[in-house]
Every structure is written in structure tokens, then in C-alpha cells.
Amino acid sequence: MAKKHRRFGALHKTLKDTNYSATSGAAGEYLNFLKGTNKLVVARKPDAKYLVRFNVGVIPFDIEPKTGAGVLNAYQGAMTILGNNVAALFSATLTDAMLGIERDLTKTKEVPGFYPAVARIATIPATATTKDSKTSGITKRAYKAFPTRTGGVPYGRTITSVKDESGATISDISKETEEDSRVAIMTAVKGITAGGHKCTSVSFSPELHPEAGFFGVAKPTTNVPTDLPAN
């Protein structure tokens, strides 16, 4: 609910100031959404096969990497097939090494409560030149937007293709930060066209260490799509 109020902060304040009495306009429609009358419908929802999750490993930013033979620094985190395929589109510039991704789960460990930092990479068809007309399910306002596909890609500590604030190449992984990776990822994909798709934006969610995890699931080997859902 907190995110909803931040996103529609002005409308929520209007409702509060009028004792939730709005009956028309954007505020009235937002009130209908809060009541459950207006529904937020996810258009073009990907088939379930694109939402299947599997595990990869990343070295957390909040944990000091250990050294020595046989040390496992990478923690397991979840990734979807869609996220994997979006990253694969830009593999020429956005590699697993740059993301700090380890796909061999024998080289990772299960740590309950760990959620990796995630880059959400939004793409549109490279041929898209005109935005589609849409109507908000919440406010009923008309707007236009491109038909995007977004994949969440985990990332962690790495010394591949990352630089510090001064522009110097980082060689000590213990000094590499989440912000260093964000800059490298943004540089690698934003505005890039590959595989018939163009990256329009990248947003980031920070690494978290709450109370539950998702572990031990290898990437499926059958009925696994290698493309993006049709736009």
C-alpha cells in the first residue's frame, strides 16, 4: 500500500483533504480503485513459462568476500526465464561476468533471507515508432506508451568491466560497490538495440537481507523459450 500512496500521492492527498468524498475526475476514479471498483488489469501478461524462476549466484555487496581455497562467496537468488532472456539479448555488452552472475550452483550457497540487487531492463521492439493509446485502470485517464517487455536481472560484486567514481578500473572485488555495478549496467544496455529489441530504461532495486529465500532450483531444460513474448 505504501508504494501505491507514493505513486498517487497527490490524488491520495486530495481524497484525504475532502474526507474521501470525491465522486468524479481522477480523484473519484482513484477512490473507486481503493474501493475495489476499478481494477488494475495487467495487459499482455507473459505466459507462465516466461515467469518460471530458477537460481543463480551473486556475491552480495553487503558481505565482505572471503579468500582461500574452496570459499563460496556467491549467494543464491532467483531469476525468471524472462529476465534471463532479456539479459541474453544484450549479452554482447552485458555479460554474466559484468553482472557477477554464477550459474553453477555448486559454487554458490543457500543463505535464507538474501535477495540480490536487481536491474529491471525495459525493452521495446526495435521497429516501434508510435506509442499505443491506453487508459489507466486506476484513474481512467488516457495516455500513450510503447509496448514494453521488462526483465529483472540479479547482479552482484564483480571486477569485470566496472570502474570506480574516478573512472579507474576496479581490480579489488572487496572495493566494488552496488553503485559501481549500476553505472556499468546502465552504460552497457540503455539505448542499445540487439536481437530486434531496444533497451529504453533500466531501474534498480537494492540488495536485501530479509527473512526468506528461494534456493536450489536449476534452470529448466525443456519447454524453455529463448525469445520474448510477442508485443
Side-chain angles (χ1 to χ4, degrees):
M1 183 62 73
K3 284 187 176 181
K4 187 187 303 176
H5 289 173
R6 286 197 296 270
R7 181 181 177 188
F8 299 100
L11 289 176
H12 196 79
K13 184 177 185 304
T14 298
L15 289 179
K16 187 175 181 180
D17 290 345
T18 59
N19 196 27
Y20 296 87
S21 61
T23 58
S24 62
E29 297 294 355
Y30 179 57
L31 180 57
N32 286 335
F33 170 69
L34 296 179
K35 292 177 177 178
T37 303
N38 288 353
K39 305 292 184 180
L40 184 60
V41 179
V42 179
R44 301 168 45 253
K45 184 176 181 179
D47 292 341
K49 62 184 179 182
Y50 291 100
L51 305 179
V52 172
R53 297 193 300 168
F54 63 97
N55 286 119
V56 296
V58 296
I59 298 176
F61 294 101
D62 289 347
I63 305 297
E64 182 71 18
K66 298 179 181 179
T67 59
V71 170
L72 297 180
N73 283 312
Y75 291 14
Q76 286 187 29
M79 186 178 190
T80 65
I81 297 298
L82 178 56
N84 180 80
N85 294 356
V86 168
L89 283 175
F90 305 100
S91 60
T93 53
L94 186 71
T95 64
D96 277 0
M98 176 190 288
L99 292 163
I101 286 179
E102 173 58 68
R103 293 180 182 268
D104 183 349
L105 297 185
T106 66
K107 298 178 181 180
T108 69
K109 55 185 175 182
E110 302 174 3
V111 180
F114 173 69
Y115 290 88
V118 174
R120 290 183 170 80
I121 302 172
T123 71
I124 63 172
T127 56
T129 57
T130 304
K131 294 181 179 181
D132 297 336
S133 296
K134 303 182 182 228
T135 300
S136 170
I138 297 175
T139 65
K140 300 305 179 181
R141 286 172 171 166
Y143 68 99
K144 291 187 176 183
F146 284 113
T148 60
R149 286 298 182 192
T150 302
V153 182
Y155 64 97
R157 285 188 189 267
T158 180
I159 55 173
T160 300
S161 303
V162 290
K163 299 180 180 181
D164 62 21
E165 293 180 352
S166 69
T169 299
I170 298 174
S171 58
D172 184 347
I173 197 169
S174 68
K175 296 180 180 179
E176 203 263 341
T177 68
E178 200 166 329
E179 182 60 25
D180 295 329
S181 282
R182 288 177 180 175
V183 172
I185 293 168
M186 185 73 76
T187 301
V189 297
K190 188 174 181 181
I192 300 297
T193 297
H197 297 267
K198 179 180 179 180
C199 173
T200 56
S201 67
V202 186
S203 61
F204 299 93
S205 295
E207 178 179 290
L208 296 173
H209 296 259
E211 59 186 2
F214 178 75
F215 308 112
V217 181
K219 180 183 175 183
T221 58
T222 59
N223 194 31
V224 180
T226 59
D227 60 346
L228 302 192
N231 286 283

